[in-house]
PDB file of all heavy atoms in Angstrom:
ATOM      1  N   ALA R   1       6.454   2.823   6.353  1.00 94.00           N
ATOM      2  CA  ALA R   1       6.660   3.646   7.574  1.00 94.00           C
ATOM      3  C   ALA R   1       5.699   4.787   7.727  1.00 94.00           C
ATOM      4  O   ALA R   1       5.478   5.210   8.802  1.00 94.00           O
ATOM      5  CB  ALA R   1       8.081   4.058   7.575  1.00 94.00           C
ATOM      6  N   ASP R   2       5.306   5.297   6.566  1.00 95.00           N
ATOM      7  CA  ASP R   2       4.436   6.476   6.566  1.00 95.00           C
ATOM      8  C   ASP R   2       3.584   6.611   5.298  1.00 95.00           C
ATOM      9  O   ASP R   2       3.641   5.751   4.467  1.00 95.00           O
ATOM     10  CB  ASP R   2       5.312   7.806   6.699  1.00 95.00           C
ATOM     11  CG  ASP R   2       6.415   7.859   5.641  1.00 95.00           C
ATOM     12  OD1 ASP R   2       6.203   7.491   4.456  1.00 95.00           O
ATOM     13  OD2 ASP R   2       7.486   8.282   6.067  1.00 95.00           O
ATOM     14  N   ALA R   3       2.783   7.725   5.267  1.00 95.00           N
ATOM     15  CA  ALA R   3       1.863   7.854   4.098  1.00 95.00           C
ATOM     16  C   ALA R   3       2.545   7.910   2.802  1.00 95.00           C
ATOM     17  O   ALA R   3       2.123   7.343   1.786  1.00 95.00           O
ATOM     18  CB  ALA R   3       0.873   8.993   4.305  1.00 95.00           C
ATOM     19  N   ALA R   4       3.751   8.684   2.724  1.00 95.00           N
ATOM     20  CA  ALA R   4       4.432   8.756   1.504  1.00 95.00           C
ATOM     21  C   ALA R   4       4.931   7.392   0.959  1.00 95.00           C
ATOM     22  O   ALA R   4       4.778   7.038  -0.176  1.00 95.00           O
ATOM     23  CB  ALA R   4       5.647   9.709   1.747  1.00 95.00           C
ATOM     24  N   ALA R   5       5.489   6.569   1.920  1.00 96.00           N
ATOM     25  CA  ALA R   5       5.951   5.231   1.576  1.00 96.00           C
ATOM     26  C   ALA R   5       4.676   4.314   1.072  1.00 96.00           C
ATOM     27  O   ALA R   5       4.895   3.558   0.161  1.00 96.00           O
ATOM     28  CB  ALA R   5       6.662   4.565   2.645  1.00 96.00           C
ATOM     29  N   CYS R   6       3.662   4.551   1.713  1.00 95.00           N
ATOM     30  CA  CYS R   6       2.398   3.864   1.427  1.00 95.00           C
ATOM     31  C   CYS R   6       1.943   4.203  -0.128  1.00 95.00           C
ATOM     32  O   CYS R   6       1.581   3.340  -0.839  1.00 95.00           O
ATOM     33  CB  CYS R   6       1.318   4.113   2.345  1.00 95.00           C
ATOM     34  SG  CYS R   6      -0.259   3.149   2.050  1.00 95.00           S
ATOM     35  N   ARG R   7       1.948   5.446  -0.349  1.00 95.00           N
ATOM     36  CA  ARG R   7       1.527   5.928  -1.722  1.00 95.00           C
ATOM     37  C   ARG R   7       2.479   5.366  -2.715  1.00 95.00           C
ATOM     38  O   ARG R   7       2.060   4.880  -3.769  1.00 95.00           O
ATOM     39  CB  ARG R   7       1.468   7.453  -1.803  1.00 95.00           C
ATOM     40  CG  ARG R   7       0.243   8.071  -1.181  1.00 95.00           C
ATOM     41  CD  ARG R   7       0.133   9.564  -1.471  1.00 95.00           C
ATOM     42  NE  ARG R   7       1.102  10.291  -0.875  1.00 95.00           N
ATOM     43  CZ  ARG R   7       0.960  10.738   0.413  1.00 95.00           C
ATOM     44  NH1 ARG R   7      -0.222  10.503   1.026  1.00 95.00           N
ATOM     45  NH2 ARG R   7       1.820  11.558   1.016  1.00 95.00           N
ATOM     46  N   HIS R   8       3.742   5.375  -2.425  1.00 96.00           N
ATOM     47  CA  HIS R   8       4.708   4.828  -3.355  1.00 96.00           C
ATOM     48  C   HIS R   8       4.507   3.318  -3.630  1.00 96.00           C
ATOM     49  O   HIS R   8       4.579   2.818  -4.688  1.00 96.00           O
ATOM     50  CB  HIS R   8       6.174   5.061  -2.896  1.00 96.00           C
ATOM     51  CG  HIS R   8       7.245   4.439  -3.694  1.00 96.00           C
ATOM     52  ND1 HIS R   8       7.570   4.966  -4.902  1.00 96.00           N
ATOM     53  CD2 HIS R   8       8.025   3.390  -3.563  1.00 96.00           C
ATOM     54  CE1 HIS R   8       8.445   4.229  -5.473  1.00 96.00           C
ATOM     55  NE2 HIS R   8       8.830   3.260  -4.616  1.00 96.00           N
ATOM     56  N   ALA R   9       4.276   2.531  -2.526  1.00 96.00           N
ATOM     57  CA  ALA R   9       4.017   1.136  -2.648  1.00 96.00           C
ATOM     58  C   ALA R   9       2.767   0.849  -3.377  1.00 96.00           C
ATOM     59  O   ALA R   9       2.795  -0.097  -4.203  1.00 96.00           O
ATOM     60  CB  ALA R   9       3.999   0.515  -1.154  1.00 96.00           C
ATOM     61  N   LEU R  10       1.710   1.696  -3.133  1.00 95.00           N
ATOM     62  CA  LEU R  10       0.488   1.399  -3.896  1.00 95.00           C
ATOM     63  C   LEU R  10       0.692   1.734  -5.465  1.00 95.00           C
ATOM     64  O   LEU R  10       0.121   1.033  -6.259  1.00 95.00           O
ATOM     65  CB  LEU R  10      -0.677   2.188  -3.219  1.00 95.00           C
ATOM     66  CG  LEU R  10      -1.068   1.897  -1.870  1.00 95.00           C
ATOM     67  CD1 LEU R  10      -2.070   2.823  -1.381  1.00 95.00           C
ATOM     68  CD2 LEU R  10      -1.830   0.508  -1.953  1.00 95.00           C
ATOM     69  N   ALA R  11       1.466   2.764  -5.710  1.00 95.00           N
ATOM     70  CA  ALA R  11       1.640   3.160  -7.173  1.00 95.00           C
ATOM     71  C   ALA R  11       2.420   2.186  -7.900  1.00 95.00           C
ATOM     72  O   ALA R  11       2.367   1.961  -9.092  1.00 95.00           O
ATOM     73  CB  ALA R  11       2.242   4.477  -7.195  1.00 95.00           C
ATOM     74  N   SER R  12       3.271   1.403  -7.134  1.00 94.00           N
ATOM     75  CA  SER R  12       4.180   0.383  -7.872  1.00 94.00           C
ATOM     76  C   SER R  12       3.446  -0.967  -8.113  1.00 94.00           C
ATOM     77  O   SER R  12       3.963  -1.770  -8.748  1.00 94.00           O
ATOM     78  CB  SER R  12       5.468   0.131  -7.028  1.00 94.00           C
ATOM     79  OG  SER R  12       5.124  -0.552  -5.844  1.00 94.00           O
ATOM     80  N   LEU R  13       2.184  -1.127  -7.508  1.00 93.00           N
ATOM     81  CA  LEU R  13       1.544  -2.392  -7.756  1.00 93.00           C
ATOM     82  C   LEU R  13       0.783  -2.439  -9.062  1.00 93.00           C
ATOM     83  O   LEU R  13       0.160  -1.438  -9.485  1.00 93.00           O
ATOM     84  CB  LEU R  13       0.520  -2.647  -6.554  1.00 93.00           C
ATOM     85  CG  LEU R  13       1.079  -2.867  -5.227  1.00 93.00           C
ATOM     86  CD1 LEU R  13      -0.050  -2.884  -4.183  1.00 93.00           C
ATOM     87  CD2 LEU R  13       1.787  -4.202  -5.243  1.00 93.00           C
ATOM     88  N   PRO R  14       0.771  -3.589  -9.686  1.00 90.00           N
ATOM     89  CA  PRO R  14      -0.036  -3.761 -10.899  1.00 90.00           C
ATOM     90  C   PRO R  14      -1.572  -3.778 -10.533  1.00 90.00           C
ATOM     91  O   PRO R  14      -1.885  -4.062  -9.396  1.00 90.00           O
ATOM     92  CB  PRO R  14       0.344  -5.058 -11.562  1.00 90.00           C
ATOM     93  CG  PRO R  14       0.957  -5.829 -10.331  1.00 90.00           C
ATOM     94  CD  PRO R  14       1.500  -4.816  -9.416  1.00 90.00           C
ATOM     95  N   ALA R  15      -2.382  -3.451 -11.546  1.00 89.00           N
ATOM     96  CA  ALA R  15      -3.795  -3.436 -11.326  1.00 89.00           C
ATOM     97  C   ALA R  15      -4.318  -4.759 -10.752  1.00 89.00           C
ATOM     98  O   ALA R  15      -5.266  -4.810  -9.913  1.00 89.00           O
ATOM     99  CB  ALA R  15      -4.555  -3.123 -12.585  1.00 89.00           C
ATOM    100  N   ALA R  16      -3.719  -5.970 -11.177  1.00 88.00           N
ATOM    101  CA  ALA R  16      -4.180  -7.311 -10.711  1.00 88.00           C
ATOM    102  C   ALA R  16      -3.866  -7.490  -9.258  1.00 88.00           C
ATOM    103  O   ALA R  16      -4.415  -8.422  -8.640  1.00 88.00           O
ATOM    104  CB  ALA R  16      -3.493  -8.352 -11.544  1.00 88.00           C
ATOM    105  N   ALA R  17      -3.089  -6.578  -8.604  1.00 90.00           N
ATOM    106  CA  ALA R  17      -2.789  -6.773  -7.112  1.00 90.00           C
ATOM    107  C   ALA R  17      -4.103  -6.320  -6.288  1.00 90.00           C
ATOM    108  O   ALA R  17      -4.102  -6.608  -5.169  1.00 90.00           O
ATOM    109  CB  ALA R  17      -1.632  -5.917  -6.754  1.00 90.00           C
ATOM    110  N   TYR R  18      -4.927  -5.441  -6.918  1.00 91.00           N
ATOM    111  CA  TYR R  18      -6.010  -4.978  -6.173  1.00 91.00           C
ATOM    112  C   TYR R  18      -7.133  -5.881  -6.132  1.00 91.00           C
ATOM    113  O   TYR R  18      -7.380  -6.682  -6.997  1.00 91.00           O
ATOM    114  CB  TYR R  18      -6.433  -3.581  -6.822  1.00 91.00           C
ATOM    115  CG  TYR R  18      -5.395  -2.501  -6.504  1.00 91.00           C
ATOM    116  CD1 TYR R  18      -4.272  -2.403  -7.331  1.00 91.00           C
ATOM    117  CD2 TYR R  18      -5.519  -1.667  -5.430  1.00 91.00           C
ATOM    118  CE1 TYR R  18      -3.332  -1.490  -7.080  1.00 91.00           C
ATOM    119  CE2 TYR R  18      -4.547  -0.661  -5.222  1.00 91.00           C
ATOM    120  CZ  TYR R  18      -3.607  -0.561  -6.004  1.00 91.00           C
ATOM    121  OH  TYR R  18      -2.581   0.419  -5.728  1.00 91.00           O
ATOM    122  N   PRO R  19      -7.991  -5.839  -4.979  1.00 92.00           N
ATOM    123  CA  PRO R  19      -7.936  -4.917  -3.895  1.00 92.00           C
ATOM    124  C   PRO R  19      -6.701  -5.271  -2.941  1.00 92.00           C
ATOM    125  O   PRO R  19      -6.226  -6.419  -2.967  1.00 92.00           O
ATOM    126  CB  PRO R  19      -9.175  -5.143  -3.124  1.00 92.00           C
ATOM    127  CG  PRO R  19      -9.592  -6.494  -3.468  1.00 92.00           C
ATOM    128  CD  PRO R  19      -9.101  -6.782  -4.864  1.00 92.00           C
ATOM    129  N   VAL R  20      -6.197  -4.252  -2.179  1.00 93.00           N
ATOM    130  CA  VAL R  20      -5.152  -4.528  -1.344  1.00 93.00           C
ATOM    131  C   VAL R  20      -5.645  -4.133   0.108  1.00 93.00           C
ATOM    132  O   VAL R  20      -6.644  -3.386   0.272  1.00 93.00           O
ATOM    133  CB  VAL R  20      -3.868  -3.596  -1.634  1.00 93.00           C
ATOM    134  CG1 VAL R  20      -3.269  -4.007  -3.016  1.00 93.00           C
ATOM    135  CG2 VAL R  20      -4.206  -2.148  -1.633  1.00 93.00           C
ATOM    136  N   LEU R  21      -4.999  -4.679   1.058  1.00 91.00           N
ATOM    137  CA  LEU R  21      -5.274  -4.397   2.457  1.00 91.00           C
ATOM    138  C   LEU R  21      -4.124  -3.580   3.023  1.00 91.00           C
ATOM    139  O   LEU R  21      -3.014  -3.952   2.887  1.00 91.00           O
ATOM    140  CB  LEU R  21      -5.364  -5.698   3.218  1.00 91.00           C
ATOM    141  CG  LEU R  21      -5.493  -5.616   4.707  1.00 91.00           C
ATOM    142  CD1 LEU R  21      -6.887  -4.970   5.131  1.00 91.00           C
ATOM    143  CD2 LEU R  21      -5.364  -6.975   5.412  1.00 91.00           C
ATOM    144  N   LEU R  22      -4.525  -2.413   3.617  1.00 92.00           N
ATOM    145  CA  LEU R  22      -3.496  -1.673   4.383  1.00 92.00           C
ATOM    146  C   LEU R  22      -3.715  -2.096   5.849  1.00 92.00           C
ATOM    147  O   LEU R  22      -4.682  -1.701   6.413  1.00 92.00           O
ATOM    148  CB  LEU R  22      -3.672  -0.221   4.148  1.00 92.00           C
ATOM    149  CG  LEU R  22      -2.620   0.739   4.961  1.00 92.00           C
ATOM    150  CD1 LEU R  22      -1.324   0.501   4.564  1.00 92.00           C
ATOM    151  CD2 LEU R  22      -3.052   2.236   4.683  1.00 92.00           C
ATOM    152  N   GLN R  23      -2.742  -2.767   6.323  1.00 90.00           N
ATOM    153  CA  GLN R  23      -2.892  -3.297   7.785  1.00 90.00           C
ATOM    154  C   GLN R  23      -1.885  -2.630   8.694  1.00 90.00           C
ATOM    155  O   GLN R  23      -0.741  -2.589   8.462  1.00 90.00           O
ATOM    156  CB  GLN R  23      -2.638  -4.846   7.751  1.00 90.00           C
ATOM    157  CG  GLN R  23      -2.792  -5.388   9.097  1.00 90.00           C
ATOM    158  CD  GLN R  23      -2.614  -6.910   9.098  1.00 90.00           C
ATOM    159  OE1 GLN R  23      -2.438  -7.469   8.062  1.00 90.00           O
ATOM    160  NE2 GLN R  23      -2.647  -7.586  10.294  1.00 90.00           N
ATOM    161  N   ARG R  24      -2.485  -2.004   9.700  1.00 89.00           N
ATOM    162  CA  ARG R  24      -1.667  -1.375  10.804  1.00 89.00           C
ATOM    163  C   ARG R  24      -0.808  -2.466  11.453  1.00 89.00           C
ATOM    164  O   ARG R  24      -1.315  -3.575  11.750  1.00 89.00           O
ATOM    165  CB  ARG R  24      -2.560  -0.725  11.717  1.00 89.00           C
ATOM    166  CG  ARG R  24      -1.949   0.051  12.808  1.00 89.00           C
ATOM    167  CD  ARG R  24      -2.934   0.755  13.679  1.00 89.00           C
ATOM    168  NE  ARG R  24      -2.373   1.853  14.318  1.00 89.00           N
ATOM    169  CZ  ARG R  24      -3.044   2.610  15.151  1.00 89.00           C
ATOM    170  NH1 ARG R  24      -4.248   2.392  15.437  1.00 89.00           N
ATOM    171  NH2 ARG R  24      -2.489   3.644  15.789  1.00 89.00           N
ATOM    172  N   ARG R  25       0.323  -2.095  11.894  1.00 83.00           N
ATOM    173  CA  ARG R  25       1.233  -3.074  12.481  1.00 83.00           C
ATOM    174  C   ARG R  25       0.608  -3.277  13.930  1.00 83.00           C
ATOM    175  O   ARG R  25       0.361  -2.309  14.634  1.00 83.00           O
ATOM    176  CB  ARG R  25       2.666  -2.545  12.668  1.00 83.00           C
ATOM    177  CG  ARG R  25       3.558  -3.571  13.388  1.00 83.00           C
ATOM    178  CD  ARG R  25       4.925  -3.078  13.409  1.00 83.00           C
ATOM    179  NE  ARG R  25       5.679  -3.985  14.117  1.00 83.00           N
ATOM    180  CZ  ARG R  25       6.753  -4.664  13.688  1.00 83.00           C
ATOM    181  NH1 ARG R  25       7.063  -4.468  12.424  1.00 83.00           N
ATOM    182  NH2 ARG R  25       7.372  -5.549  14.378  1.00 83.00           N
TER     183      ARG R  25
END
């Protein structure tokens, strides 16, 4: 929903998940 939730989601991903796409709704 916001930057804080995004940082939390990114921090919870393992290294193998990267690269990731941040896609706007």
Side-chain angles (χ1 to χ4, degrees):
D2 53 36
C6 184
R7 281 191 289 276
H8 177 72
L10 291 171
S12 68
L13 290 172
Y18 287 84
V20 298
L21 171 68
L22 178 60
Q23 182 177 354
R24 184 178 201 179
R25 183 181 178 117

